Amino acid sequence: MSYVLHLAVMIGIYSIMAYSLNLVVGYGGLLSLCHAAYYGIGAYSYALLVMHFQMPFVFALICAVLLAGLAGAAIAFPALRFRGDMFVFVTLGCQVIVFTLLYNWVDLTRGYYGISGIPRPSLFGTTITTPFGYVVLVTFANGILLPMLFALYRSPFGLSLKALRENERAAAALGIPANLRYTQAMALSAGFAAVSGALYAGYVTYIDPTSFTLQESIFLLAILLLGGSGNIIGPLIGVVVMLLLPEALRFIGLPDTIAPNVREILYGILLIVLMFIRPQGIAGDYQVR
């Protein structure tokens, strides 16, 4: 039972990240490779604030969101000077910079030793210590944040992002400020991702830089592209498939000596087949080029 609850918690955490990335990739059409950086900033900000300043969970969460949002806006400043492939490379570079800071700023982040003993979240005088309690917390967070993101998708702000995605020059001719809208989208996306980072830090009570690498950013992008970007259903489908498919392969009766490698091969083959069958994603809609 605890195993199922753990999967439910991780699905909830990754759902917030996938839907927040959808704002930039699916609606803005910008292929970003630094989403794990915001995830890490949120996790480390939350951990340091609750441990060194004894800040309550909610206030530490808000501060983490603000710090990640500022980081998203700061990354947007150099990245939005470019489009297409160069934008991808700039965000990739920013991801590497954030990871390097987390890894080498030992006085603040403890580097590769990581931060352990992170307090569990406490709400209304109750500390959440059980897996079921954390499922409730993550579900509650999704119930607040996902409707906010859905409202953003359908708002004039989201529609202006879609217009920029389809034809930036035409949208600019209609008076839509491209760089301002993209900066706002990246800051908002970073802030939502920070919530996932804080929830993750409070759940596992230990974080280190290896959880926030470029590989994690690529994994998040794969979740979005597999499920289908630019819509409401796609990110959730991508999260469920990418998280549950490897777990399902564990139940295949394989010898222990080769099981991990064979599972990885099967996992890769299934993803390739899915992308051949549905290159626009399982849920369809926008295909990132």
Side-chain angles (χ1 to χ4, degrees):
M1 186 63 182
S2 59
Y3 174 68
V4 174
L5 293 176
H6 169 72
L7 289 177
V9 170
M10 297 309 297
I11 287 173
I13 289 173
Y14 273 90
S15 292
I16 297 172
M17 283 196 287
Y19 278 106
S20 61
L21 182 59
N22 194 31
L23 188 64
V24 173
V25 177
Y27 283 81
L30 298 175
L31 202 60
S32 175
L33 282 178
C34 62
H35 212 60
Y38 309 138
Y39 178 40
I41 290 170
Y44 272 88
S45 299
Y46 168 80
L48 292 171
L49 288 170
V50 296
M51 294 184 71
H52 296 294
F53 296 96
Q54 286 74 51
M55 195 173 284
F57 169 71
V58 174
F59 291 107
L61 182 62
I62 293 172
C63 290
V65 168
L66 292 175
L67 288 170
L70 288 173
I75 289 173
F77 179 72
L80 290 175
R81 293 174 179 268
F82 306 94
R83 292 293 188 272
D85 296 341
M86 294 308 297
F87 178 88
V88 177
F89 280 113
V90 174
T91 58
L92 186 154
C94 292
Q95 167 66 49
V96 173
I97 289 170
V98 171
F99 172 78
T100 303
L101 286 173
L102 295 178
Y103 193 84
N104 291 289
W105 198 350
V106 179
D107 293 338
L108 180 66
T109 66
R110 290 184 50 82
Y112 57 86
Y113 294 109
I115 300 175
S116 59
I118 300 169
R120 294 278 192 177
S122 182
L123 286 172
F124 309 113
T126 303
T127 301
I128 300 170
T129 57
T130 64
F132 179 76
Y134 222 88
V135 170
V136 173
L137 174 63
V138 171
T139 304
F140 179 72
N142 275 267
I144 293 176
L145 298 178
L146 296 192
M148 292 172 62
L149 281 165
F150 298 161
L152 277 174
Y153 294 165
R154 296 191 178 100
S155 70
F157 173 76
L159 295 176
S160 66
L161 283 176
K162 291 182 74 172
L164 289 167
R165 181 192 75 190
E166 297 301 328
N167 192 319
E168 188 172 324
R169 289 186 179 181
L174 293 173
I176 299 174
N179 281 358
L180 176 60
R181 286 291 180 271
Y182 283 141
T183 301
Q184 291 169 337
M186 290 181 71
L188 287 169
S189 177
F192 281 103
V195 177
S196 293
L199 290 173
Y200 176 76
Y203 176 60
V204 300
T205 70
Y206 170 81
I207 54 173
D208 66 72
T210 59
S211 297
F212 315 108
T213 61
L214 175 61
Q215 184 177 356
E216 185 71 8
S217 283
I218 294 172
F219 179 71
L220 290 168
L221 190 60
I223 284 175
L224 188 59
L225 299 185
L226 179 69
S229 60
N231 60 64
I232 290 178
I233 298 296
L236 180 60
I237 293 175
V239 168
V240 171
V241 171
M242 291 291 281
L243 291 185
L244 295 189
L245 184 57
E247 301 303 324
L249 293 175
R250 292 179 185 275
F251 298 100
I252 297 176
L254 296 171
D256 292 338
T257 54
I258 64 169
N261 294 328
V262 173
R263 280 200 301 266
E264 289 296 321
I265 293 170
L266 291 174
Y267 184 44
I269 291 172
L270 287 171
L271 292 181
I272 292 171
V273 170
L274 282 172
M275 292 313 295
F276 266 110
I277 297 172
R278 294 284 292 177
Q280 72 274 38
I282 295 172
D285 210 342
Y286 180 64
Q287 182 178 355
V288 177
R289 294 175 178 85

